[in-house]
Amino acid sequence: MHEIILMKLGELVLKGLNRRSFEDKLMANARRRLKPFGEFRVYTKQSTLYVEPKGEGCDLEGAWQAMTRLFGVVGLSRARACAKDKDALLETAKTYLDDKLRAARTFKEESKRADKSIPMTSIQLSQYVGGELHEAYPHLQVDVHHPELTVYLEVRDYAAYVHADPEPGAGGLPVGIGGRAVSLLSGGIDSPVASWMIAKRGIALEMVHFFSYPYTSQAAKDKVLELARLLTPWCGSLTVHVVPFTALQEELRRSCPEELFTILMRRFMMRIAQRVAQRIGAGALVTGESLGQVASQTMDAMRCTGQVCSLPILRPVVGMDKEEIVRIARTIGTFETSILPYEDCCTVFTPRHPRLRPLPGEVEAAEAKLDVEGLVNAAVDGIERIRV
Ligand code: ATP
Ligand code: MG
């Protein structure tokens, strides 16, 4: 008989989040992610989300992989369906979980009956199947407190199911339940990780990328689009707003003190990202800034860039070491792409001695010589939207 996927829901108890909207969001996200793998029935019952293939031709392995990246799920297992009968359950446990039963030294049995028509209590069913398994695998000891393997039996409406311990899910909250944010995505290691961390907390993202053609190449842009694409199994499909940044950078180089170039450029990034946020109804900006990493990532610099922007700026990696960020980048699969050697707009015209601590009024004085609104408008008007 067929195999299904069972998923345990995450932090349902969050204040202000009601269970119904959590479940609905999670199911909608699951259905969308499952589309490429065939037709599935998706429903929830008792804090469990069920994914059942409808008929043949479903790619269950693909579906499984997709569901391991679904935020809002804390644990998931594959289960094998069988007839609602004690011996069918026993046989299914033996064949479906044979590898695991051989590998474990200790086990226990746990049964649940949603359908009470089976003529045994849950305890009797556990005792029967557990006893028979103990006989069939004589090396196994029963340990009800800390078993290496738990064999679960569930008798439900349509069928009965056998499964082993759940594997860890992606955790977090269903994407979209906490609103939207605009994430500033460079080609580096940090901003994809920062984006992933915010998406994990239930925020739907759109990306902004500042592109300085021809100082940065088409290949550098493709790399950023690839990073965005690599995030889609976690975040869902994404829009990348590619902002033409060359004219603005050239203007800054022409008319501003060199040592303020970086900080001024970053203030323009925030202004432009905030415009995008307003346009799409986003409630925050996200960056991959980490304290002390580079000259523009001091507290003073963050205050100075934050001043041009009324939305909160979320910096989820602010307190993390590079190694910790790299570890996440590796597990989510963005690291190898991030380290491809292409330029970023931040490295174009980098001042030799960037000002670490801008003096009061200095930045405003430099900006007073610029047509700030005009520069922002021109950049926003030139945005190219790419769906990945
Ligand atoms: P990353 O590894 O994310 O590139 P970084 O350590 O190189 O970060 P910076 O280059 O100073 O740091 O950039 C800090 C943050 O500013 C980035 O994490 C990103 O959010 C944003 N940022 C930098 N360059 C761009 C860009 N070209 N387009 C969009 N956002 C950018
Ligand atoms: Mg960078």
Side-chain angles (χ1 to χ4, degrees):
M1 272 180 110
H2 65 275
E3 237 182 326
I4 67 167
I5 300 170
L6 300 175
M7 305 195 274
K8 262 176 71 72
L9 309 191
E11 299 171 41
L12 279 168
V13 288
L14 261 197
K15 294 188 198 75
L17 266 187
N18 84 47
R19 178 192 199 94
R20 194 70 237 154
S21 61
F22 185 107
E23 290 185 356
D24 288 348
K25 196 55 144 182
L26 189 62
M27 284 193 289
N29 292 350
R31 289 195 184 103
R32 214 171 303 125
R33 304 289 169 76
L34 288 165
K35 277 221 176 94
F37 307 106
E39 277 202 60
F40 294 87
R41 193 189 351 251
V42 176
Y43 59 93
T44 53
K45 230 169 213 169
Q46 296 163 339
S47 296
T48 304
L49 194 149
Y50 292 80
V51 173
E52 291 189 14
K54 280 192 198 165
E56 302 302 310
C58 287
D59 172 5
L60 199 84
E61 181 54 32
W64 170 260
Q65 291 303 331
M67 294 300 97
T68 61
R69 294 174 172 80
L70 188 68
F71 289 134
V73 172
V74 286
L76 63 174
S77 25
R78 288 164 87 135
R80 170 78 73 187
C82 66
K84 294 192 265 184
D85 163 81
K86 67 183 194 323
D87 290 306
L89 281 161
L90 172 62
E91 279 317 304
T92 306
K94 281 190 199 164
T95 49
Y96 188 55
L97 302 179
D98 183 56
D99 288 353
K100 291 190 161 98
L101 286 161
R102 284 175 197 277
R105 281 165 300 182
T106 56
F107 88 119
K108 79 167 177 184
E109 193 55 63
E110 212 164 283
S111 307
K112 255 199 236 162
R113 288 182 318 153
D115 173 5
K116 313 268 187 212
S117 68
I118 185 166
M120 272 180 149
T121 65
S122 298
I123 292 173
Q124 287 170 330
L125 186 59
S126 290
Q127 282 172 343
Y128 174 73
V129 174
E132 293 292 320
L133 286 178
H134 195 22
E135 229 158 77
Y137 298 86
H139 72 284
L140 274 180
Q141 298 291 314
V142 176
D143 179 345
V144 292
H145 298 298
H146 305 288
E148 285 178 16
L149 173 68
T150 303
V151 175
Y152 293 87
L153 311 175
E154 294 196 32
V155 184
R156 306 202 61 90
D157 300 349
Y158 301 109
Y161 298 96
V162 174
H163 64 93
D165 299 287
E167 291 180 24
L173 300 169
V175 166
I177 202 154
R180 286 160 186 275
V182 163
S183 186
L184 284 77
L185 187 66
S186 68
I189 296 168
D190 308 331
S191 48
V193 170
S195 305
W196 179 86
M197 288 175 77
I198 294 301
K200 186 173 187 217
R201 297 310 301 165
I203 309 298
L205 297 177
E206 296 202 8
M207 306 308 200
V208 165
H209 177 65
F210 298 94
F211 183 45
S212 310
Y213 191 79
Y215 300 103
T216 63
S217 60
Q218 181 62 37
K221 174 175 157 190
D222 292 342
K223 170 185 167 180
V224 171
L225 294 175
E226 173 63 7
L227 283 171
R229 202 191 56 73
L230 290 170
L231 289 169
T232 58
W234 309 93
C235 305
S237 68
L238 289 167
T239 299
V240 183
H241 302 254
V242 180
V243 182
F245 211 44
T246 315
L248 201 155
Q249 286 187 304
E250 286 175 342
E251 174 63 16
L252 290 181
R253 184 179 53 173
R254 210 165 22 240
S255 11
C256 297
E258 182 189 315
E259 62 277 14
L260 293 180
F261 178 85
T262 304
I263 194 103
L264 291 172
M265 178 187 75
R266 296 198 60 80
R267 280 163 66 98
F268 276 98
M269 285 184 168
M270 295 302 172
R271 290 186 178 104
I272 294 165
Q274 174 154 280
R275 284 284 195 85
V276 174
Q278 282 159 351
R279 192 183 272 180
I280 66 164
L285 305 181
V286 181
T287 77
E289 289 165 295
S290 163
L291 261 177
Q293 212 183 68
V294 293
S296 63
Q297 299 181 15
T298 60
M299 288 190 291
D300 285 306
M302 287 184 195
R303 176 177 50 77
C304 188
T305 51
Q307 272 166 353
V308 299
C309 163
S310 59
L311 291 177
I313 301 171
L314 308 179
R315 299 178 172 98
V317 304
V318 74
M320 290 168 76
D321 293 346
K322 198 73 185 184
E323 270 137 70
E324 297 172 285
I325 302 172
V326 164
R327 201 177 312 135
I328 297 179
R330 284 188 194 279
T331 50
I332 67 176
T334 52
F335 182 73
E336 296 302 326
T337 303
S338 287
I339 60 174
L340 294 173
Y342 296 116
E343 344 57 47
D344 179 60
C345 76
C346 288
T347 51
V348 179
F349 319 132
T350 307
R352 277 157 296 177
H353 305 290
R355 182 77 99 244
L356 290 179
R357 203 166 292 166
L359 307 171
E362 192 178 30
V363 165
E364 291 75 5
E367 282 180 355
K369 295 197 204 118
L370 299 168
D371 174 14
V372 172
E373 273 304 293
L375 288 166
V376 170
N377 287 339
V380 170
D381 288 343
I383 285 178
E384 179 193 5
R385 282 179 205 79
I386 301 171
R387 192 100 180 130
V388 296

